[in-house]
Amino acid sequence: MNIIEKLQWRYACKKFDDTKILPDNKIDILTEAFNLTATSFGLQPIKLLVINNKTLQQNLVPHAFGQQQVANASHVLLICIQDYFTLEDIDAYFDLEKEIRGTSEDIISPYRKQLKDIFANKSTIEKQESAINQAYIVLGNLMTVCALEGIDACPMEGFNAQKFDEILELKKHNLKSVLLLPIGIRAADDFMSTLKKVRKPIDDIVIKL
Ligand SMILES: Cc1cc2nc3c(=O)[nH]c(=O)nc-3n(C[C@H](O)[C@H](O)[C@H](O)COP(=O)(O)O)c2cc1C
């Protein structure tokens, strides 16, 4: 399959085969892809929760408007943002860059100051909104990697993030949930899998100048 065929193959899976569990190497690919996702300034104000616990998945369903794909998925990926993003996080980013690239503080220092100045003027809400944008980039990246790897997935905004945060005790980890991505293998009787894609004609959605 070429990439377009793979993107045609993917769909928002509504029913996974709950007897099929994704092997660890597939989960490793997705966690690496998560970490390789580009973020604004490279700051990665995000975290990925990998849930592989049927009881927990079942308990989350009522807080996802009863959407059963959360329960019958092999794994549920929960894309989170940092609740509070601080100037120490910016220091940690530049310290990591020094460690990995061996860049000197002389070179880093003006960037460190510039970024801290930018973030010092942002409200908590503004920082969270920016982090949420990064979460959506992650979602797109993971969905594409799933398609390439033959993993079925369902992107989901339809859940009560506050309830998820409570159940998963995310506050104590300084996290807030943003997006869900149940993953696994489609059930043979998921009627959605055979439906044609509903998309506008290319000429209506792409403007070439
Ligand atoms: C950000 C986002 C949130 C979505 N939330 C849900 C959801 O809560 N439940 C669901 O079943 N599908 C959800 N979808 C799936 C879309 O309805 C689906 O991707 C769209 O109709 C296009 O269909 P396709 O992905 O099968 O091509 C979501 C998709 C995106 C991108």
Side-chain angles (χ1 to χ4, degrees), residues 10-14 67 69 136 139 143 154-159 179 192 197-199:
R10 75 139 291 281
Y11 74 109
C13 184
K14 300 290 189 279
Q67 297 186 83
Q69 61 268 41
Y136 277 86
L139 181 74
M143 286 168 67
C154 183
M156 287 178 66
E157 285 174 320
F159 68 102
L179 290 161
M192 295 292 287
K197 287 229 173 282
V198 180
R199 293 296 192 271

Side-chain angles (χ1 to χ4, degrees), residues 23-114:
D24 287 347
N25 69 317
K26 292 285 187 192
I27 304 300
D28 291 347
I29 289 169
L30 294 176
T31 54
E32 285 288 343
F34 167 76
N35 199 27
L36 284 169
T37 302
T39 55
S40 179
F41 299 111
L43 290 171
Q44 297 186 287
I46 46 175
K47 217 158 244 191
L48 186 69
L49 248 76
V50 181
I51 303 171
N52 176 24
N53 175 325
K54 291 290 159 213
T55 311
L56 181 55
Q57 287 170 232
Q58 197 70 58
N59 290 343
L60 291 171
V61 168
H63 310 294
F65 306 104
Q67 297 186 83
Q68 291 297 328
Q69 61 268 41
V70 172
N72 53 46
S74 163
H75 294 66
V76 175
L77 305 184
L78 183 63
I79 304 166
C80 302
I81 58 160
Q82 259 179 259
D83 196 357
Y84 293 100
F85 186 85
T86 66
L87 299 186
E88 284 76 57
D89 292 307
I90 293 175
D91 273 330
Y93 167 76
F94 285 110
D95 292 348
L96 187 63
E97 181 179 339
K98 275 167 75 173
E99 187 190 318
I100 292 176
R101 291 184 173 163
T103 316
S104 74
E105 184 58 36
D106 283 357
I107 291 172
I108 280 185
S109 161
Y111 297 109
R112 196 191 282 271
K113 184 181 173 322
Q114 191 185 20

